[in-house]
Amino acid sequence: MAGHFEPLSGGGAAVALDEVEVSILRSLAVQLLELIGPGDESAGPEGADPLARLFAEGPSEPPSDPALARLFPDAYGDPGARQDPQERAHAAEFRRYTENDLRDRKREDALAVVRSLDSLAVAGDKAAVLRLAPEDCRRWLGALNDLRLAIGARLEIAHDDDSEALLRLPDEDPRKPMVMAYLWLGGLQESLVEALIG
């Protein structure tokens, strides 16, 4: 089970993680939280007025950071393609009313990963088994996907073939650790999906 999710009877999944794996996953999730940014602190713990929060306006322009642009793409038009003025207007309007909620969900997914990893007691070189309830699995899938999107953007991966070429990088290439993390996260994500549907 080491580094590979297995299904739990009654739903959910479990994975054995050693101290290094926990440290890497936690560090990546914290970096994702920093990339996404803080939430709306003025809304209070549950949001003072849910209706006002529902109609709160967010940004209308796509992020300039390539990793954030991958996490929060335009809803209209093809990525990287030039948009006509009408597509641009529709994308801006859609972003204005959806990006804040999407950021909140992505933030909650990453926080769920950090919290579940913090609950593990890993001693030395022994692995600890992390057991996730079905809802936690959904949050983990979201966070793993977001991590891969952000790392993929940093590595300029546009197609599956790109990651294969990056795998052949020499060990001294500074991108190699990021490539290995990208591939490892993909394996974790795939095994979690298989555990949930199997």
Side-chain angles (χ1 to χ4, degrees):
M1 183 193 316
H4 183 85
F5 280 95
E6 298 288 338
L8 290 173
S9 61
V15 63
L17 298 169
D18 64 29
E19 191 173 9
V20 172
E21 292 169 323
V22 168
S23 177
I24 292 169
L25 277 169
R26 189 181 190 291
S27 175
L28 289 171
V30 167
Q31 289 176 54
L32 180 62
L33 285 166
E34 291 169 356
L35 179 66
I36 293 169
D40 182 9
E41 303 303 326
S42 64
E46 294 297 322
D49 182 354
L51 189 58
R53 181 156 166 62
L54 180 65
F55 291 103
E57 291 189 21
S60 60
E61 292 298 318
S64 58
D65 182 305
L68 283 173
R70 182 82 58 95
L71 291 172
F72 305 105
D74 274 336
Y76 296 91
D78 293 325
R82 188 172 185 92
Q83 292 176 316
D84 66 43
Q86 186 175 15
E87 278 182 336
R88 184 76 210 112
H90 290 312
E93 189 72 7
F94 188 82
R95 180 180 298 281
R96 182 177 296 122
Y97 292 107
T98 61
E99 187 171 313
N100 286 342
D101 287 340
L102 187 56
R103 278 183 186 267
D104 287 345
R105 185 185 58 74
K106 290 178 181 299
R107 192 177 300 106
E108 284 302 315
D109 289 349
L111 277 171
V113 169
V114 170
R115 288 179 185 131
S116 58
L117 292 171
D118 285 350
S119 72
L120 278 181
V122 182
D125 61 349
K126 295 188 178 186
V129 177
L130 175 68
R131 289 177 175 79
L132 300 174
E135 177 59 19
D136 293 326
C137 290
R138 188 206 61 76
R139 291 191 177 282
W140 267 72
L141 279 174
L144 289 171
N145 187 61
D146 290 343
L147 285 168
R148 291 191 77 236
L149 286 172
I151 293 171
R154 294 286 187 247
L155 291 170
E156 299 178 353
I157 295 174
H159 306 286
D160 289 338
D161 298 343
D162 296 342
S163 61
E164 292 297 323
L166 289 170
L167 186 57
R168 293 187 293 274
L169 289 174
D171 289 343
E172 56 275 1
D173 191 297
R175 296 172 294 169
K176 188 72 171 203
M178 208 178 338
V179 170
M180 299 312 291
Y182 176 82
L183 296 172
W184 177 58
L185 291 168
L188 277 176
Q189 185 180 21
E190 185 177 337
S191 73
L192 181 51
V193 168
E194 289 171 358
L196 294 175
I197 64 175

